[in-house]
Amino acid sequence: MKFKIFAVLLSSLFVTVSCTDLDEDLYDRVEDNNFGTTPDEIDALVGGAYSSLRGFSDEISNAFPGSEFVFFLNEVVSDEATIPTRGTNWYDGGVYQRAQNHTWLAEDGIILSAWRYCYAGIAKVNSIIYQVDQSGLTEAEKTPIYAELRSVRAYYYYMLLDMFGNVPIVTDFEDTGLPSNSSRQEVYNFVEAELLESLPYLKSEIVYSKFTKNVAYALLARLYLNSEAFVGTPRWQDCINMCQNISGYTLEPDYFANFLTENENSSETIFAIPYDNDAGTIGNYMNSMSLHYLHRLTVSASGNDFPWSANGMSAQPGVYSSFAEIDMRREAILIGDQINVATNSVIMMDNGSPLTYTEEISSLTDAQENEGGRLFKYETKVGEQWERDHDLVIIRYAEILIMQAECYVRLGNPDGAIPFLTQITERAGTDMPDMIDLQFINQESLREFIFEGKRRTDTIRFGTFFEPWWEKGSTEPYRAIFPIPATVLSTNTNLTQNPGY
């Protein structure tokens, strides 16, 4: 059947097909002319595209968006976060050290996981589009469904454009040939066209966690903001225009309201990936990856009502200090003595030292268990499981404000940035600088979006990605994109490795 044929094709892109789950929640066993006649059937079909955003894990890679691979890839190669080796923990063949040093390899699993996350999602969307093609829906009924599905697929291709640049564009479920690379410009054009052509048929109203006009405008704004970095053509005014099309959102008065366990009612969230542990969703354990093994004792008197943590990702030295003391967003990084709620005393680690999180990290290759400020942005409370219940925030209204501010500065009108930045700084409790320049916006972006998976892209756009920082020297320009994974190249000989690798 065609599902099996397509699986062979996609194996050339992400090595194995077990991650596509083409039978899950899909109606390939229902006769085509009997499917798509009820709203529930349509919702279930399109829902499969959104559920793919939660990622997957198998024997080859861990491709959850909030895992130590997909999310952390864009964090630990930036100036924001790091995963230091602590004794024998978190060495993993040196993959995180190479990420920090910008010496990653095409063989690294962290690279493969990000690639497979995107192409597994694309495979899912393409299979659903095929089913819609074969359904009993009229063309008028199919059109808004296609728009939504193409927009989800464009989101995956935006990630590939950002991370890998020159990637295959695969849209035809029935095409069984091995794909070749498209240029980064061609991928850029594809993402833009898919979103622009879908926009007229997307819903205008706010629909939580679904692709609407607002979400498409926001993704186009991201595309245009990074246009010069992606393809060498600045499109600052186009970014502003897309941002100004977005309506219906306001900043939450409390910054951390966006990151509560029940954060689905935020007035600021434009797009999020929903999670619910009781419903069986998996892969949302980003919070659990950062805190110390004994951190549960700071939350639960018994230590049994909070999950074990993995003591992994930390803020890089200097990041915590980049926040003013009055900046409420500073609390997104946890520093200082960690108190046992049962004894009201500082927790002692197994080596007899106090569990006191420090901003400084003595060594990337041999850090102490307590070193590094910890991710503390999402709510932490008694009763949580390893798989957290908060929704993973992808796009917030704050980003729309800061994008416009940056574009006005780049267009030579820093005064035009003031109304947008003022909203951000007033909520944070900080002061506006006397001079608004790109350096300020770069640092304000770090502070506002700390641990939200955006930092690598931002530093490339601002050029700081290529400069030395903690435990990293200068970075060669070709590393602005990652290599195509070695196993993918070996499976599909039609692909060409990115330049420099």
Side-chain angles (χ1 to χ4, degrees):
M1 63 187 298
K2 285 174 180 156
F3 280 90
K4 292 181 180 178
I5 295 171
F6 189 66
V8 173
L9 164 63
L10 266 293
S11 69
S12 69
L13 292 177
F14 54 82
V15 181
T16 185
V17 299
S18 62
C19 57
T20 58
D21 289 329
L22 295 181
D23 292 336
E24 180 186 353
D25 296 329
L26 298 182
Y27 294 85
D28 59 311
R29 294 184 179 86
V30 179
E31 292 184 17
D32 294 333
N33 59 359
N34 290 330
F35 177 74
T37 58
T38 70
D40 286 345
E41 289 176 338
I42 296 170
D43 288 345
L45 191 62
V46 177
Y50 289 107
S51 65
S52 72
L53 293 168
R54 297 192 189 105
F56 64 94
S57 181
D58 60 16
E59 67 279 2
I60 293 178
S61 68
N62 185 349
F64 293 122
S67 74
E68 63 271 32
F69 288 161
V70 178
F71 171 84
F72 292 130
L73 178 58
N74 282 327
E75 293 288 353
V76 302
V77 303
S78 79
D79 60 356
E80 183 175 282
T82 187
I83 302 181
T85 303
R86 305 179 193 272
T88 58
N89 294 326
W90 291 103
Y91 176 65
D92 294 0
V95 64
Y96 305 115
Q97 293 179 20
R98 289 193 292 275
Q100 178 65 44
N101 294 324
H102 288 196
T103 57
W104 52 76
L105 305 173
E107 290 78 15
D108 284 341
I110 195 169
I111 306 292
L112 179 62
S113 292
W115 176 279
R116 296 181 76 231
Y117 172 74
C118 294
Y119 274 110
I122 290 166
K124 187 85 166 192
V125 173
N126 286 345
S127 68
I128 295 171
I129 289 175
Y130 170 78
Q131 287 188 278
V132 175
D133 287 342
Q134 304 302 311
S135 73
L137 297 172
T138 66
E139 289 305 310
E141 291 170 328
K142 290 177 181 178
T143 298
I145 299 173
Y146 287 144
E148 201 169 349
L149 292 170
R150 290 172 68 188
S151 297
V152 175
R153 186 174 62 191
Y155 171 72
Y156 282 119
Y157 271 111
Y158 173 85
M159 293 181 66
L160 288 166
L161 168 71
D162 180 12
M163 291 189 291
F164 296 97
N166 310 291
V167 301
I169 298 174
V170 180
T171 60
D172 186 352
F173 185 75
E174 298 181 273
D175 185 354
T176 60
L178 293 177
S180 302
N181 306 71
S182 294
S183 69
R184 201 177 196 189
Q185 181 71 63
E186 290 170 331
V187 180
Y188 177 98
N189 294 344
F190 174 79
V191 172
E192 181 183 28
E194 289 289 284
L195 291 171
L196 290 176
E197 291 171 14
S198 298
L199 259 169
Y201 309 103
L202 295 171
K203 292 181 179 179
S204 299
E205 62 269 25
I206 294 174
V207 184
Y208 185 73
S209 76
K210 296 294 189 294
F211 257 85
T212 61
K213 281 184 168 63
N214 280 323
V215 180
Y217 285 135
L219 192 54
L220 280 165
R222 278 188 177 180
L223 182 71
Y224 297 147
L225 180 70
N226 293 287
S227 180
E228 186 172 40
F230 287 167
V231 294
T233 304
R235 298 185 68 176
W236 313 120
Q237 186 61 52
D238 288 334
C239 176
I240 292 172
N241 294 344
M242 291 300 109
C243 289
Q244 292 179 348
N245 287 326
I246 295 168
S247 62
Y249 300 93
T250 58
L251 293 185
E252 283 284 342
D254 179 0
Y255 175 78
F256 288 99
N258 297 296
F259 311 104
L260 295 174
T261 303
E262 289 79 31
N263 62 344
E264 63 273 13
N265 295 318
S266 166
S267 64
E268 188 172 337
T269 299
I270 296 176
F271 190 67
I273 303 175
Y275 287 90
D276 185 341
N277 181 66
D278 290 340
T281 59
I282 59 175
N284 188 25
Y285 53 80
M286 186 168 59
N287 269 22
S288 299
M289 301 304 290
S290 184
L291 300 172
H292 186 271
Y293 317 118
L294 298 177
H295 193 90
R296 66 185 186 277
L297 299 176
T298 72
V299 182
S300 165
S302 67
N304 297 324
D305 299 324
F306 189 78
W308 174 86
S309 303
N311 204 34
M313 187 181 81
S314 303
Q316 283 193 29
V319 172
Y320 181 76
S321 296
S322 71
F323 290 79
E325 291 185 9
I326 59 174
D327 193 333
M328 68 176 299
R329 299 168 300 185
R330 196 183 199 192
E331 296 179 9
I333 303 175
L334 189 60
I335 293 286
D337 292 341
Q338 301 307 298
I339 306 300
N340 186 323
V341 295
T343 65
N344 200 34
S345 60
V346 179
I347 295 169
M348 304 304 291
M349 299 184 293
D350 290 345
N351 64 5
S353 300
L355 179 53
T356 303
Y357 295 136
T358 65
E359 178 175 10
E360 296 305 315
I361 301 174
S362 58
S363 170
L364 172 67
T365 59
D366 190 20
Q368 299 302 305
E369 286 188 2
N370 63 306
E371 291 181 331
R374 304 310 166 95
L375 184 157
F376 210 60
K377 193 165 193 172
Y378 284 91
E379 183 180 18
T380 298
K381 63 181 183 179
V382 171
E384 288 188 298
Q385 304 298 311
W386 173 267
E387 302 288 350
R388 304 304 176 90
D389 285 329
H390 62 256
D391 296 344
L392 189 62
V393 177
I394 304 299
I395 305 174
R396 293 192 286 119
Y397 183 61
E399 182 180 350
I400 306 306
L401 297 176
I402 289 184
M403 283 197 288
Q404 291 177 87
E406 179 181 337
C407 289
Y408 276 112
V409 173
R410 290 186 182 275
L411 289 170
N413 181 15
D415 288 344
I418 293 175
F420 306 105
L421 290 175
T422 299
Q423 296 179 61
I424 299 294
T425 57
E426 284 184 350
R427 179 175 68 174
T430 59
D431 299 324
M432 285 279 287
D434 294 333
M435 182 178 68
I436 298 173
D437 57 16
L438 291 178
Q439 182 179 1
F440 171 75
I441 293 176
N442 183 18
Q443 287 302 303
E444 191 63 12
S445 296
L446 183 152
R447 291 184 285 261
E448 178 66 26
F449 304 112
I450 184 81
F451 301 136
E452 291 187 48
K454 293 175 73 277
R455 191 59 184 158
R456 170 189 157 272
T457 309
D458 288 346
T459 55
I460 290 172
R461 188 175 68 256
F462 285 107
T464 55
F465 183 81
F466 309 100
E467 299 171 359
W469 58 56
W470 182 75
E471 294 281 351
K472 181 187 86 71
S474 297
T475 297
E476 293 292 332
Y478 74 87
R479 288 188 179 268
I481 55 176
F482 295 115
I484 295 174
T487 51
V488 173
L489 286 175
S490 65
T491 305
N492 181 0
T493 55
N494 285 346
L495 295 179
T496 303
Q497 182 58 279
N498 282 329
Y501 291 103

